[in-house]
PDB file of all heavy atoms in Angstrom:
ATOM      1  N   GLN A  13     130.663 119.974 185.090  1.00  0.00           N
ATOM      2  CA  GLN A  13     130.062 121.271 185.410  1.00  0.00           C
ATOM      3  C   GLN A  13     129.683 121.348 186.886  1.00  0.00           C
ATOM      4  O   GLN A  13     129.861 122.375 187.538  1.00  0.00           O
ATOM      5  CB  GLN A  13     128.833 121.473 184.534  1.00  0.00           C
ATOM      6  CG  GLN A  13     128.242 122.879 184.590  1.00  0.00           C
ATOM      7  CD  GLN A  13     127.191 123.059 183.507  1.00  0.00           C
ATOM      8  OE1 GLN A  13     127.308 122.545 182.408  1.00  0.00           O
ATOM      9  NE2 GLN A  13     126.140 123.794 183.849  1.00  0.00           N
ATOM     10  N   LEU A  14     129.190 120.241 187.426  1.00  0.00           N
ATOM     11  CA  LEU A  14     128.791 120.195 188.831  1.00  0.00           C
ATOM     12  C   LEU A  14     129.973 120.470 189.748  1.00  0.00           C
ATOM     13  O   LEU A  14     129.900 121.293 190.665  1.00  0.00           O
ATOM     14  CB  LEU A  14     128.173 118.830 189.153  1.00  0.00           C
ATOM     15  CG  LEU A  14     127.838 118.562 190.621  1.00  0.00           C
ATOM     16  CD1 LEU A  14     126.751 119.510 191.103  1.00  0.00           C
ATOM     17  CD2 LEU A  14     127.409 117.117 190.809  1.00  0.00           C
ATOM     18  N   PHE A  15     131.082 119.789 189.502  1.00  0.00           N
ATOM     19  CA  PHE A  15     132.233 119.939 190.397  1.00  0.00           C
ATOM     20  C   PHE A  15     132.979 121.245 190.161  1.00  0.00           C
ATOM     21  O   PHE A  15     133.722 121.708 191.012  1.00  0.00           O
ATOM     22  CB  PHE A  15     133.156 118.745 190.256  1.00  0.00           C
ATOM     23  CG  PHE A  15     132.502 117.460 190.698  1.00  0.00           C
ATOM     24  CD1 PHE A  15     132.421 116.366 189.852  1.00  0.00           C
ATOM     25  CD2 PHE A  15     131.931 117.347 191.952  1.00  0.00           C
ATOM     26  CE1 PHE A  15     131.796 115.195 190.250  1.00  0.00           C
ATOM     27  CE2 PHE A  15     131.301 116.181 192.364  1.00  0.00           C
ATOM     28  CZ  PHE A  15     131.233 115.097 191.510  1.00  0.00           C
ATOM     29  N   SER A  16     132.742 121.848 188.998  1.00  0.00           N
ATOM     30  CA  SER A  16     133.336 123.145 188.718  1.00  0.00           C
ATOM     31  C   SER A  16     132.551 124.265 189.396  1.00  0.00           C
ATOM     32  O   SER A  16     133.135 125.161 190.019  1.00  0.00           O
ATOM     33  CB  SER A  16     133.374 123.391 187.205  1.00  0.00           C
ATOM     34  OG  SER A  16     133.769 124.719 186.920  1.00  0.00           O
ATOM     35  N   ASP A  17     131.192 124.201 189.301  1.00  0.00           N
ATOM     36  CA  ASP A  17     130.355 125.300 189.785  1.00  0.00           C
ATOM     37  C   ASP A  17     129.747 125.036 191.155  1.00  0.00           C
ATOM     38  O   ASP A  17     129.235 125.958 191.792  1.00  0.00           O
ATOM     39  CB  ASP A  17     129.231 125.579 188.782  1.00  0.00           C
ATOM     40  CG  ASP A  17     129.760 125.984 187.413  1.00  0.00           C
ATOM     41  OD1 ASP A  17     130.932 126.399 187.331  1.00  0.00           O
ATOM     42  OD2 ASP A  17     128.992 125.878 186.431  1.00  0.00           O
ATOM     43  N   GLY A  18     129.743 123.763 191.594  1.00  0.00           N
ATOM     44  CA  GLY A  18     129.143 123.443 192.885  1.00  0.00           C
ATOM     45  C   GLY A  18     127.655 123.189 192.834  1.00  0.00           C
ATOM     46  O   GLY A  18     127.052 122.770 193.826  1.00  0.00           O
ATOM     47  N   VAL A  19     127.023 123.423 191.689  1.00  0.00           N
ATOM     48  CA  VAL A  19     125.593 123.189 191.514  1.00  0.00           C
ATOM     49  C   VAL A  19     125.289 123.197 190.023  1.00  0.00           C
ATOM     50  O   VAL A  19     125.969 123.895 189.249  1.00  0.00           O
ATOM     51  CB  VAL A  19     124.749 124.266 192.247  1.00  0.00           C
ATOM     52  CG1 VAL A  19     125.035 125.652 191.713  1.00  0.00           C
ATOM     53  CG2 VAL A  19     123.257 123.952 192.169  1.00  0.00           C
ATOM     54  N   VAL A  20     124.331 122.382 189.590  1.00  0.00           N
ATOM     55  CA  VAL A  20     123.839 122.433 188.212  1.00  0.00           C
ATOM     56  C   VAL A  20     122.326 122.605 188.263  1.00  0.00           C
ATOM     57  O   VAL A  20     121.668 122.104 189.182  1.00  0.00           O
ATOM     58  CB  VAL A  20     124.195 121.168 187.396  1.00  0.00           C
ATOM     59  CG1 VAL A  20     125.692 121.104 187.136  1.00  0.00           C
ATOM     60  CG2 VAL A  20     123.719 119.891 188.087  1.00  0.00           C
ATOM     61  N   TYR A  21     121.783 123.321 187.279  1.00  0.00           N
ATOM     62  CA  TYR A  21     120.366 123.615 187.237  1.00  0.00           C
ATOM     63  C   TYR A  21     119.704 122.897 186.069  1.00  0.00           C
ATOM     64  O   TYR A  21     120.205 122.915 184.938  1.00  0.00           O
ATOM     65  CB  TYR A  21     120.132 125.121 187.126  1.00  0.00           C
ATOM     66  CG  TYR A  21     120.701 125.884 188.290  1.00  0.00           C
ATOM     67  CD1 TYR A  21     121.826 126.698 188.141  1.00  0.00           C
ATOM     68  CD2 TYR A  21     120.123 125.787 189.549  1.00  0.00           C
ATOM     69  CE1 TYR A  21     122.352 127.392 189.216  1.00  0.00           C
ATOM     70  CE2 TYR A  21     120.645 126.481 190.636  1.00  0.00           C
ATOM     71  CZ  TYR A  21     121.758 127.283 190.460  1.00  0.00           C
ATOM     72  OH  TYR A  21     122.271 127.961 191.528  1.00  0.00           O
ATOM     73  N   THR A  22     118.554 122.273 186.346  1.00  0.00           N
ATOM     74  CA  THR A  22     117.860 121.496 185.326  1.00  0.00           C
ATOM     75  C   THR A  22     117.542 122.331 184.096  1.00  0.00           C
ATOM     76  O   THR A  22     117.747 121.896 182.958  1.00  0.00           O
ATOM     77  CB  THR A  22     116.548 120.920 185.912  1.00  0.00           C
ATOM     78  OG1 THR A  22     116.836 120.224 187.115  1.00  0.00           O
ATOM     79  CG2 THR A  22     115.885 119.970 184.927  1.00  0.00           C
ATOM     80  N   SER A  23     117.045 123.553 184.306  1.00  0.00           N
ATOM     81  CA  SER A  23     116.661 124.394 183.177  1.00  0.00           C
ATOM     82  C   SER A  23     117.862 124.751 182.309  1.00  0.00           C
ATOM     83  O   SER A  23     117.770 124.767 181.075  1.00  0.00           O
ATOM     84  CB  SER A  23     115.980 125.667 183.683  1.00  0.00           C
ATOM     85  OG  SER A  23     116.817 126.367 184.583  1.00  0.00           O
ATOM     86  N   GLN A  24     119.012 125.012 182.940  1.00  0.00           N
ATOM     87  CA  GLN A  24     120.207 125.352 182.173  1.00  0.00           C
ATOM     88  C   GLN A  24     120.742 124.139 181.412  1.00  0.00           C
ATOM     89  O   GLN A  24     121.181 124.262 180.259  1.00  0.00           O
ATOM     90  CB  GLN A  24     121.280 125.912 183.106  1.00  0.00           C
ATOM     91  CG  GLN A  24     120.910 127.264 183.695  1.00  0.00           C
ATOM     92  CD  GLN A  24     121.946 127.782 184.671  1.00  0.00           C
ATOM     93  OE1 GLN A  24     122.949 127.127 184.952  1.00  0.00           O
ATOM     94  NE2 GLN A  24     121.709 128.965 185.217  1.00  0.00           N
ATOM     95  N   LEU A  25     120.695 122.964 182.043  1.00  0.00           N
ATOM     96  CA  LEU A  25     121.162 121.747 181.370  1.00  0.00           C
ATOM     97  C   LEU A  25     120.279 121.422 180.171  1.00  0.00           C
ATOM     98  O   LEU A  25     120.769 120.988 179.122  1.00  0.00           O
ATOM     99  CB  LEU A  25     121.183 120.579 182.352  1.00  0.00           C
ATOM    100  CG  LEU A  25     122.197 120.666 183.493  1.00  0.00           C
ATOM    101  CD1 LEU A  25     121.978 119.512 184.471  1.00  0.00           C
ATOM    102  CD2 LEU A  25     123.626 120.658 182.972  1.00  0.00           C
ATOM    103  N   LYS A  26     118.983 121.611 180.317  1.00  0.00           N
ATOM    104  CA  LYS A  26     118.045 121.368 179.221  1.00  0.00           C
ATOM    105  C   LYS A  26     118.420 122.225 178.007  1.00  0.00           C
ATOM    106  O   LYS A  26     118.488 121.743 176.871  1.00  0.00           O
ATOM    107  CB  LYS A  26     116.626 121.684 179.676  1.00  0.00           C
ATOM    108  CG  LYS A  26     115.592 121.716 178.549  1.00  0.00           C
ATOM    109  CD  LYS A  26     114.251 122.163 179.089  1.00  0.00           C
ATOM    110  CE  LYS A  26     113.259 122.403 177.958  1.00  0.00           C
ATOM    111  NZ  LYS A  26     113.617 123.571 177.132  1.00  0.00           N
ATOM    112  N   ASP A  27     118.649 123.516 178.244  1.00  0.00           N
ATOM    113  CA  ASP A  27     119.004 124.417 177.138  1.00  0.00           C
ATOM    114  C   ASP A  27     120.391 124.106 176.591  1.00  0.00           C
ATOM    115  O   ASP A  27     120.619 124.143 175.376  1.00  0.00           O
ATOM    116  CB  ASP A  27     118.948 125.871 177.622  1.00  0.00           C
ATOM    117  CG  ASP A  27     117.535 126.307 177.991  1.00  0.00           C
ATOM    118  OD1 ASP A  27     116.577 125.662 177.513  1.00  0.00           O
ATOM    119  OD2 ASP A  27     117.388 127.274 178.749  1.00  0.00           O
ATOM    120  N   GLN A  28     121.309 123.784 177.481  1.00  0.00           N
ATOM    121  CA  GLN A  28     122.688 123.522 177.072  1.00  0.00           C
ATOM    122  C   GLN A  28     122.792 122.312 176.144  1.00  0.00           C
ATOM    123  O   GLN A  28     123.503 122.337 175.142  1.00  0.00           O
ATOM    124  CB  GLN A  28     123.554 123.302 178.318  1.00  0.00           C
ATOM    125  CG  GLN A  28     125.010 122.984 178.039  1.00  0.00           C
ATOM    126  CD  GLN A  28     125.800 122.787 179.324  1.00  0.00           C
ATOM    127  OE1 GLN A  28     125.434 123.326 180.373  1.00  0.00           O
ATOM    128  NE2 GLN A  28     126.861 122.019 179.277  1.00  0.00           N
ATOM    129  N   PHE A  29     122.050 121.252 176.485  1.00  0.00           N
ATOM    130  CA  PHE A  29     122.143 120.021 175.705  1.00  0.00           C
ATOM    131  C   PHE A  29     121.044 119.888 174.655  1.00  0.00           C
ATOM    132  O   PHE A  29     121.048 118.946 173.857  1.00  0.00           O
ATOM    133  CB  PHE A  29     122.092 118.806 176.639  1.00  0.00           C
ATOM    134  CG  PHE A  29     123.240 118.728 177.604  1.00  0.00           C
ATOM    135  CD1 PHE A  29     123.018 118.620 178.967  1.00  0.00           C
ATOM    136  CD2 PHE A  29     124.553 118.776 177.151  1.00  0.00           C
ATOM    137  CE1 PHE A  29     124.076 118.549 179.866  1.00  0.00           C
ATOM    138  CE2 PHE A  29     125.619 118.712 178.040  1.00  0.00           C
ATOM    139  CZ  PHE A  29     125.383 118.603 179.396  1.00  0.00           C
ATOM    140  N   GLY A  30     120.085 120.823 174.660  1.00  0.00           N
ATOM    141  CA  GLY A  30     119.013 120.764 173.690  1.00  0.00           C
ATOM    142  C   GLY A  30     118.115 119.555 173.880  1.00  0.00           C
ATOM    143  O   GLY A  30     117.639 118.960 172.910  1.00  0.00           O
ATOM    144  N   THR A  31     117.876 119.172 175.132  1.00  0.00           N
ATOM    145  CA  THR A  31     117.046 118.010 175.438  1.00  0.00           C
ATOM    146  C   THR A  31     115.794 118.458 176.183  1.00  0.00           C
ATOM    147  O   THR A  31     115.571 119.648 176.394  1.00  0.00           O
ATOM    148  CB  THR A  31     117.820 117.000 176.307  1.00  0.00           C
ATOM    149  OG1 THR A  31     118.186 117.644 177.536  1.00  0.00           O
ATOM    150  CG2 THR A  31     119.076 116.516 175.605  1.00  0.00           C
ATOM    151  N   SER A  32     114.986 117.517 176.620  1.00  0.00           N
ATOM    152  CA  SER A  32     113.782 117.814 177.389  1.00  0.00           C
ATOM    153  C   SER A  32     114.090 117.784 178.883  1.00  0.00           C
ATOM    154  O   SER A  32     115.122 117.258 179.312  1.00  0.00           O
ATOM    155  CB  SER A  32     112.693 116.786 177.075  1.00  0.00           C
ATOM    156  OG  SER A  32     113.096 115.504 177.528  1.00  0.00           O
ATOM    157  N   PHE A  33     113.164 118.342 179.676  1.00  0.00           N
ATOM    158  CA  PHE A  33     113.295 118.267 181.129  1.00  0.00           C
ATOM    159  C   PHE A  33     113.316 116.802 181.583  1.00  0.00           C
ATOM    160  O   PHE A  33     114.056 116.429 182.493  1.00  0.00           O
ATOM    161  CB  PHE A  33     112.136 118.993 181.819  1.00  0.00           C
ATOM    162  CG  PHE A  33     112.348 120.470 181.969  1.00  0.00           C
ATOM    163  CD1 PHE A  33     111.514 121.367 181.326  1.00  0.00           C
ATOM    164  CD2 PHE A  33     113.372 120.963 182.754  1.00  0.00           C
ATOM    165  CE1 PHE A  33     111.704 122.739 181.463  1.00  0.00           C
ATOM    166  CE2 PHE A  33     113.580 122.328 182.902  1.00  0.00           C
ATOM    167  CZ  PHE A  33     112.736 123.219 182.247  1.00  0.00           C
ATOM    168  N   GLU A  34     112.504 115.982 180.943  1.00  0.00           N
ATOM    169  CA  GLU A  34     112.425 114.571 181.325  1.00  0.00           C
ATOM    170  C   GLU A  34     113.767 113.880 181.122  1.00  0.00           C
ATOM    171  O   GLU A  34     114.190 113.066 181.958  1.00  0.00           O
ATOM    172  CB  GLU A  34     111.335 113.871 180.520  1.00  0.00           C
ATOM    173  CG  GLU A  34     111.114 112.412 180.901  1.00  0.00           C
ATOM    174  CD  GLU A  34     110.678 112.235 182.338  1.00  0.00           C
ATOM    175  OE1 GLU A  34     110.045 113.164 182.893  1.00  0.00           O
ATOM    176  OE2 GLU A  34     110.961 111.166 182.928  1.00  0.00           O
ATOM    177  N   THR A  35     114.450 114.189 180.038  1.00  0.00           N
ATOM    178  CA  THR A  35     115.768 113.593 179.783  1.00  0.00           C
ATOM    179  C   THR A  35     116.769 113.995 180.860  1.00  0.00           C
ATOM    180  O   THR A  35     117.515 113.155 181.377  1.00  0.00           O
ATOM    181  CB  THR A  35     116.284 114.011 178.403  1.00  0.00           C
ATOM    182  OG1 THR A  35     115.406 113.481 177.395  1.00  0.00           O
ATOM    183  CG2 THR A  35     117.695 113.490 178.157  1.00  0.00           C
ATOM    184  N   ILE A  36     116.770 115.280 181.210  1.00  0.00           N
ATOM    185  CA  ILE A  36     117.702 115.755 182.236  1.00  0.00           C
ATOM    186  C   ILE A  36     117.365 115.140 183.592  1.00  0.00           C
ATOM    187  O   ILE A  36     118.255 114.748 184.362  1.00  0.00           O
ATOM    188  CB  ILE A  36     117.690 117.293 182.324  1.00  0.00           C
ATOM    189  CG1 ILE A  36     118.188 117.900 180.999  1.00  0.00           C
ATOM    190  CG2 ILE A  36     118.552 117.773 183.483  1.00  0.00           C
ATOM    191  CD1 ILE A  36     119.590 117.484 180.609  1.00  0.00           C
ATOM    192  N   ARG A  37     116.071 115.025 183.906  1.00  0.00           N
ATOM    193  CA  ARG A  37     115.684 114.388 185.168  1.00  0.00           C
ATOM    194  C   ARG A  37     116.194 112.951 185.237  1.00  0.00           C
ATOM    195  O   ARG A  37     116.675 112.489 186.274  1.00  0.00           O
ATOM    196  CB  ARG A  37     114.157 114.426 185.333  1.00  0.00           C
ATOM    197  CG  ARG A  37     113.607 115.762 185.784  1.00  0.00           C
ATOM    198  CD  ARG A  37     112.189 115.606 186.323  1.00  0.00           C
ATOM    199  NE  ARG A  37     111.279 115.115 185.305  1.00  0.00           N
ATOM    200  CZ  ARG A  37     110.573 115.891 184.487  1.00  0.00           C
ATOM    201  NH1 ARG A  37     110.696 117.199 184.589  1.00  0.00           N
ATOM    202  NH2 ARG A  37     109.762 115.367 183.593  1.00  0.00           N
ATOM    203  N   LYS A  38     116.079 112.235 184.115  1.00  0.00           N
ATOM    204  CA  LYS A  38     116.569 110.856 184.081  1.00  0.00           C
ATOM    205  C   LYS A  38     118.085 110.807 184.239  1.00  0.00           C
ATOM    206  O   LYS A  38     118.615 109.918 184.915  1.00  0.00           O
ATOM    207  CB  LYS A  38     116.149 110.195 182.766  1.00  0.00           C
ATOM    208  CG  LYS A  38     114.665 109.884 182.681  1.00  0.00           C
ATOM    209  CD  LYS A  38     114.301 109.244 181.350  1.00  0.00           C
ATOM    210  CE  LYS A  38     112.822 108.917 181.273  1.00  0.00           C
ATOM    211  NZ  LYS A  38     112.447 108.341 179.954  1.00  0.00           N
ATOM    212  N   ASP A  39     118.768 111.765 183.615  1.00  0.00           N
ATOM    213  CA  ASP A  39     120.226 111.832 183.770  1.00  0.00           C
ATOM    214  C   ASP A  39     120.607 112.017 185.236  1.00  0.00           C
ATOM    215  O   ASP A  39     121.471 111.305 185.770  1.00  0.00           O
ATOM    216  CB  ASP A  39     120.797 112.993 182.950  1.00  0.00           C
ATOM    217  CG  ASP A  39     120.798 112.725 181.446  1.00  0.00           C
ATOM    218  OD1 ASP A  39     120.685 111.547 181.060  1.00  0.00           O
ATOM    219  OD2 ASP A  39     120.907 113.692 180.678  1.00  0.00           O
ATOM    220  N   LEU A  40     119.969 112.982 185.877  1.00  0.00           N
ATOM    221  CA  LEU A  40     120.306 113.285 187.265  1.00  0.00           C
ATOM    222  C   LEU A  40     119.917 112.145 188.191  1.00  0.00           C
ATOM    223  O   LEU A  40     120.636 111.839 189.146  1.00  0.00           O
ATOM    224  CB  LEU A  40     119.620 114.588 187.696  1.00  0.00           C
ATOM    225  CG  LEU A  40     120.028 115.858 186.947  1.00  0.00           C
ATOM    226  CD1 LEU A  40     119.303 117.072 187.506  1.00  0.00           C
ATOM    227  CD2 LEU A  40     121.531 116.077 186.987  1.00  0.00           C
ATOM    228  N   LYS A  41     118.789 111.505 187.905  1.00  0.00           N
ATOM    229  CA  LYS A  41     118.374 110.359 188.710  1.00  0.00           C
ATOM    230  C   LYS A  41     119.384 109.221 188.597  1.00  0.00           C
ATOM    231  O   LYS A  41     119.763 108.600 189.591  1.00  0.00           O
ATOM    232  CB  LYS A  41     116.997 109.876 188.278  1.00  0.00           C
ATOM    233  CG  LYS A  41     116.480 108.696 189.104  1.00  0.00           C
ATOM    234  CD  LYS A  41     115.091 108.264 188.643  1.00  0.00           C
ATOM    235  CE  LYS A  41     114.589 107.083 189.479  1.00  0.00           C
ATOM    236  NZ  LYS A  41     113.251 106.624 189.034  1.00  0.00           N
ATOM    237  N   TYR A  42     119.843 108.964 187.376  1.00  0.00           N
ATOM    238  CA  TYR A  42     120.829 107.897 187.169  1.00  0.00           C
ATOM    239  C   TYR A  42     122.127 108.223 187.906  1.00  0.00           C
ATOM    240  O   TYR A  42     122.698 107.367 188.602  1.00  0.00           O
ATOM    241  CB  TYR A  42     121.114 107.722 185.674  1.00  0.00           C
ATOM    242  CG  TYR A  42     122.281 106.804 185.390  1.00  0.00           C
ATOM    243  CD1 TYR A  42     122.120 105.413 185.414  1.00  0.00           C
ATOM    244  CD2 TYR A  42     123.546 107.315 185.123  1.00  0.00           C
ATOM    245  CE1 TYR A  42     123.195 104.571 185.175  1.00  0.00           C
ATOM    246  CE2 TYR A  42     124.623 106.474 184.886  1.00  0.00           C
ATOM    247  CZ  TYR A  42     124.437 105.102 184.902  1.00  0.00           C
ATOM    248  OH  TYR A  42     125.506 104.269 184.672  1.00  0.00           O
ATOM    249  N   LEU A  43     122.593 109.446 187.784  1.00  0.00           N
ATOM    250  CA  LEU A  43     123.843 109.837 188.435  1.00  0.00           C
ATOM    251  C   LEU A  43     123.706 109.806 189.956  1.00  0.00           C
ATOM    252  O   LEU A  43     124.656 109.487 190.664  1.00  0.00           O
ATOM    253  CB  LEU A  43     124.270 111.228 187.956  1.00  0.00           C
ATOM    254  CG  LEU A  43     124.683 111.299 186.478  1.00  0.00           C
ATOM    255  CD1 LEU A  43     124.858 112.745 186.039  1.00  0.00           C
ATOM    256  CD2 LEU A  43     125.959 110.501 186.228  1.00  0.00           C
ATOM    257  N   GLU A  44     122.517 110.122 190.458  1.00  0.00           N
ATOM    258  CA  GLU A  44     122.284 110.031 191.901  1.00  0.00           C
ATOM    259  C   GLU A  44     122.319 108.577 192.347  1.00  0.00           C
ATOM    260  O   GLU A  44     122.895 108.247 193.396  1.00  0.00           O
ATOM    261  CB  GLU A  44     120.941 110.666 192.254  1.00  0.00           C
ATOM    262  CG  GLU A  44     120.652 110.666 193.759  1.00  0.00           C
ATOM    263  CD  GLU A  44     119.351 111.347 194.089  1.00  0.00           C
ATOM    264  OE1 GLU A  44     118.316 110.981 193.476  1.00  0.00           O
ATOM    265  OE2 GLU A  44     119.334 112.229 194.965  1.00  0.00           O
ATOM    266  N   GLU A  45     121.708 107.688 191.561  1.00  0.00           N
ATOM    267  CA  GLU A  45     121.710 106.260 191.900  1.00  0.00           C
ATOM    268  C   GLU A  45     123.123 105.680 191.910  1.00  0.00           C
ATOM    269  O   GLU A  45     123.406 104.709 192.627  1.00  0.00           O
ATOM    270  CB  GLU A  45     120.830 105.496 190.911  1.00  0.00           C
ATOM    271  CG  GLU A  45     119.339 105.780 191.084  1.00  0.00           C
ATOM    272  CD  GLU A  45     118.499 105.198 189.965  1.00  0.00           C
ATOM    273  OE1 GLU A  45     119.099 104.766 188.948  1.00  0.00           O
ATOM    274  OE2 GLU A  45     117.262 105.163 190.098  1.00  0.00           O
ATOM    275  N   GLN A  46     123.998 106.280 191.112  1.00  0.00           N
ATOM    276  CA  GLN A  46     125.396 105.848 191.086  1.00  0.00           C
ATOM    277  C   GLN A  46     126.223 106.484 192.196  1.00  0.00           C
ATOM    278  O   GLN A  46     127.434 106.235 192.315  1.00  0.00           O
ATOM    279  CB  GLN A  46     126.032 106.190 189.725  1.00  0.00           C
ATOM    280  CG  GLN A  46     125.329 105.563 188.527  1.00  0.00           C
ATOM    281  CD  GLN A  46     125.218 104.063 188.643  1.00  0.00           C
ATOM    282  OE1 GLN A  46     126.211 103.372 188.850  1.00  0.00           O
ATOM    283  NE2 GLN A  46     123.995 103.542 188.530  1.00  0.00           N
TER     284      GLN A  46
END
Side-chain angles (χ1 to χ4, degrees):
Q13 190 170 324
L14 174 65
F15 296 124
S16 172
D17 299 341
V19 61
V20 291
Y21 300 109
T22 307
S23 56
Q24 292 177 358
L25 293 173
K26 169 185 172 292
D27 294 339
Q28 179 180 334
F29 297 126
T31 61
S32 66
F33 276 116
E34 183 61 28
T35 296
I36 297 301
R37 282 197 298 270
K38 288 179 179 178
D39 287 342
L40 297 182
K41 181 179 180 181
Y42 171 81
L43 293 170
E44 183 178 52
E45 290 171 349
Q46 302 305 306

